Amino acid sequence: MSGYVNITSHKGGKVEFVSQDADDTVKPSRYVKSIKEIPYDISVLEINSVLSSSEAEAPVPPPAPVDLIELLSKKHCKSFAGLISGNADVFRTLNETKDNGLTLFCPVDAAVAAFMPKYKNLTAKAKTAILLYHGVPDYFSLQLLKSNNGMVSTLATTSEVKKDYSYDVQNDDEKV
């Protein structure tokens, strides 16, 4: 019965709400006024107190930590993972960003191998920028990318380089 709310209508138009799993000591919340109603879509009601639920208030364990290098290494991105782990600034930035939302575009090993001759000749600052260019400091599933058109800032843009390394997301049906 977790998540259910009992609604009781009293004489005189008074309405009370209480969580189904609340114990007898919990005072019900009372209806104050309607904030906004859009028929068949949404209704926002002001109540005089927080709806309490022992289930909702129970501590939830934090998610297990994600080891990006291990994850990438297992998913055909071992070479890219090696570049990230070999660059302390990129490794730190990705790990600091991942808990607040991160989309990482991981080139497959063959693509990294083909790019390595150019990569080796880049300056340290340019290597950092190109690796950070593959990260977006927001979570974008494929579905969200499909529904998004416009400029997206990468981690390279938000880094110390201070250049605009954004790119334009365009979608065409199922292609992004």
Side-chain angles (χ1 to χ4, degrees):
M1 297 305 293
S2 177
Y4 288 94
V5 175
N6 285 331
I7 303 170
T8 307
S9 181
H10 298 284
K11 290 181 183 177
K14 302 227 185 246
V15 179
E16 293 182 332
F17 307 88
V18 67
S19 174
Q20 177 70 31
D21 63 350
D23 62 39
D24 294 336
T25 62
V26 174
K27 290 177 126 182
S29 298
R30 277 190 241 110
Y31 170 82
V32 176
K33 66 181 178 181
S34 175
I35 303 292
K36 179 71 175 176
E37 293 179 33
I38 302 172
Y40 308 104
D41 285 329
I42 190 169
S43 179
V44 180
L45 308 175
E46 181 178 326
I47 58 177
N48 72 335
S49 62
V50 173
L51 289 171
S52 181
S53 167
S54 59
E55 183 79 19
E57 294 171 7
V60 177
V66 175
D67 182 338
L68 285 175
I69 303 304
E70 180 181 335
L71 177 71
L72 294 173
S73 295
K74 290 180 179 178
K75 300 293 181 181
H76 309 289
C77 297
K78 191 172 188 170
S79 297
F80 188 66
L83 294 176
I84 291 170
S85 63
N87 186 313
D89 290 336
V90 173
F91 184 80
R92 178 185 42 75
T93 300
L94 292 176
N95 278 297
E96 288 173 354
T97 306
K98 70 181 181 187
D99 293 333
N100 295 320
L102 173 66
T103 302
L104 194 59
F105 297 100
C106 175
V108 295
D109 290 340
V112 173
F115 184 70
M116 281 309 290
K118 290 181 182 178
Y119 182 81
K120 288 178 181 178
N121 291 324
L122 295 174
T123 65
K125 197 178 242 186
K127 288 177 180 178
T128 297
I130 196 77
L131 293 173
L132 290 176
Y133 184 71
H134 289 79
V136 176
D138 287 306
Y139 170 79
F140 284 101
S141 64
L142 183 57
Q143 192 61 37
L144 284 172
L145 283 171
K146 287 179 183 178
S147 65
N148 184 31
N149 275 318
M151 297 304 288
V152 175
S153 291
T154 68
L155 288 169
T157 299
T158 60
S159 72
E160 298 169 10
V161 177
K162 303 294 184 211
K163 288 187 180 179
D164 185 7
Y165 288 105
S166 299
Y167 52 87
D168 193 17
V169 174
Q170 294 293 316
N171 60 67
D172 179 19
D173 196 27
E174 290 296 310
K175 296 179 183 175
V176 179

